[in-house]
Amino acid sequence: MTKTVFMGTGHYVPERVVTNHDLTRWMETSDQWIVDRTGIHERRWVSEGMSGAEMAEHAAKEAAEKAGISLDEIDCIVLATLSPDHTFPGTGCFLQQRLGLPGIPALDVRAQCSGFIYGLSVADAWIRTGQYKRILMVGTEVHSTGLDVSTRGRDVACLFGDGAGAVVLGPSEDDRGILSIKLHADGKYAKSLWIEAPGSCLHPRIDEELIRQGRHYPKMKGRHVFTFALQKMPEVIHEALHESGLSLSDVDLIIPHQANKRITEQVAKQLGVDQEMMFSNIEKLGNTTAASIPLAIYDAQRQGRLKRGDLLVLASFGAGFTWAAAICRW
Ligand code: UT7
């Protein structure tokens, strides 16, 4: 049976490095607090003029080049983001225009930190049925333009970074490829991590009072998210492994969504695997939500941590709540 293989990977991170020391200029925080609680030392933030679609374009071009295909061989775009360039249309359409690929479908996926794995699942189904042959799957995020960088928003603002990661997916010619994907959500916790405004259910969607109250900034019940992530990530990894008839002893590398270094370390403990088996690049990029998994795949490959034939586990947890895992023979 056809499987979906990763043909090439690409990335883009903005040039502007924002260190924890830089954050102390705007909010009451410290390098020590952020490093101890999150493992983050620095993140990249866009400079004026850079958009999610433009970062995605750079990442996509690199992924196509690495896949050894020309851009016009891409027959579908799936793009995951929680920070679209505009409310509508989807950032996938802006990316499609930038890539010069009129006519091919462009689907935006809104599953926050799980957006990449949710999108992967859609792309995998399309490739296995033969509907599309070369799918560009991108995660791209611009958080920095929407953060409350005052002390009021420090719990969230210290976490997030900007960036884009892309992969080109196609049908495999051997036994490599995606073996299983498991997706979950629980909307009961939608307001534990969210941005309220602008919202079409508000009358009006946005006004000065909403802005004054800071309701256009992301809000998070950090401890709640933390606790749930520790429960759900190991659970969904076991579930996806079970589905593919494999176990943790078969796994070479786990790439979790880069939410917090302490979450990654504690998930490893709960799974009973070596810390070295868990990939981390949050130190330098922070939490880039839907872009974090493809950016981590890219870095893992660049560091020689992913070799042909390795068994790779991807796992995520985030706003929604959504959580997911994918098992892949690389
Ligand atoms: O990818 C999306 C999913 N998101 C996540 O996975 C995030 C999960 N949550 C977390 O990573 C952690 O909850 C945080 C890193 C966000 C916060 O760490 P915490 O250990 O849960 O701290 P806390 O929210 O319980 O806050 C403890 C204290 C508070 O002060 P008081 O009330 O004890 O005086 C906060 O105001 O730390 C304070 N605090 C900060 N202090 C310095 C919160 N943010 C900061 C900050 N610098 N940046």
Side-chain angles (χ1 to χ4, degrees), residues 226-286:
F226 197 101
T227 313
F228 242 82
L230 288 189
Q231 184 192 334
K232 294 300 179 189
M233 289 228 275
E235 215 173 271
V236 73
I237 289 173
H238 282 301
E239 189 189 1
L241 279 170
H242 180 74
E243 167 109 344
S244 47
L246 294 161
S247 70
L248 277 170
S249 57
D250 299 305
V251 175
D252 295 292
L253 188 67
I254 300 174
I255 297 186
H257 161 53
Q258 306 289 304
N260 181 321
K261 186 80 183 281
R262 286 191 300 141
I263 294 180
T264 300
E265 288 168 356
Q266 291 195 31
V267 167
K269 274 194 195 142
Q270 292 199 19
L271 291 171
V273 300
D274 276 1
Q275 294 293 344
E276 288 77 68
M277 200 195 267
M278 305 289 285
F279 187 80
S280 174
N281 63 356
I282 195 169
E283 305 80 3
K284 293 209 161 289
L285 297 182

Side-chain angles (χ1 to χ4, degrees), residues 23 27-30 33-34 37-38 113 151 153-160 193 220-227 229 257-260 262-263 287 289 317-319:
L23 295 182
M27 62 185 82
E28 282 171 35
T29 189
S30 65
W33 192 97
I34 300 173
R37 299 290 177 116
T38 71
C113 305
T151 298
R154 64 184 177 175
D155 58 329
V156 175
C158 71
L159 294 177
F160 291 119
L193 177 49
M220 177 172 70
K221 293 180 186 152
R223 293 252 159 136
H224 186 45
V225 179
F226 197 101
T227 313
H257 161 53
Q258 306 289 304
N260 181 321
R262 286 191 300 141
I263 294 180
N287 179 346
T289 53
F317 184 87

